[in-house]
Amino acid sequence: MKPAAPESAADVYSETCPSRRALELIANKWALLVVPALRRGPVRNNELLRQVGGISQKMLTQTLRELELNGLVVRSDHGTVPPRVDYALTELGASLSKALLAVDRWAEAHHDQLRPASRRTGR
């Protein structure tokens, strides 16, 4: 019997590579902010709304749902009255958070260098 062929390596530059779906998921502006906001442990919805300035309840709900569906976030409903639901990163989400936190810090450190370039081009 012939051994199974090894899976080819992922290549985000290939149009057909499934890793592109991962890039689409994390390239969302809100996902870039929500994932690192969850890095310290479980957080309730209202706390996330306060932490992530400018996000609407609708966008937060959509973002959390998408992250949960893709295995990056876990939603815990405590079954209490009044309702208590919190969100936490999965192990996979925690690994992504580390990478995104570096992107956040880069943006904070270099935003002022980007503005002059956008003024020169008239955008």
Side-chain angles (χ1 to χ4, degrees), residues 70-121:
N70 284 281
L72 297 170
V73 168
V74 63
R75 179 183 186 269
S76 298
D77 185 340
H78 298 274
T80 60
V81 177
R84 178 171 176 221
V85 176
D86 51 39
Y87 299 88
L89 294 174
T90 62
E91 188 176 324
L92 182 62
S95 69
L96 174 60
S97 178
K98 290 176 186 173
L100 294 183
L101 195 57
V103 173
D104 290 348
R105 296 302 167 250
W106 183 91
E108 291 168 349
H110 299 287
H111 68 90
D112 57 337
Q113 296 167 342
L114 297 174
R115 270 191 225 141
S118 65
R119 279 196 293 268
R120 283 193 302 269
T121 61

Side-chain angles (χ1 to χ4, degrees), residues 28-38 48 51-53 100 104:
N28 173 295
K29 169 174 86 170
W30 298 118
L32 287 168
L33 297 169
V34 168
V35 170
L38 292 168
L48 279 172
Q51 281 185 357
V52 183
L100 294 183
D104 290 348

Side-chain angles (χ1 to χ4, degrees), residues 19-74:
S19 63
R20 289 262 182 113
R21 173 68 185 114
L23 287 178
E24 289 172 14
L25 175 66
I26 63 172
N28 173 295
K29 169 174 86 170
W30 298 118
L32 287 168
L33 297 169
V34 168
V35 170
L38 292 168
R39 74 186 178 281
R40 290 191 181 102
V43 178
R44 295 178 75 175
N45 186 287
N46 284 338
E47 178 59 28
L48 279 172
L49 276 172
R50 285 190 292 275
Q51 281 185 357
V52 183
I55 193 169
S56 68
Q57 179 61 65
K58 178 182 176 183
M59 285 309 303
L60 178 58
T61 299
Q62 287 177 352
T63 301
L64 287 167
R65 196 170 287 149
E66 186 73 14
L67 294 170
E68 181 183 10
L69 288 172
N70 284 281
L72 297 170
V73 168
V74 63

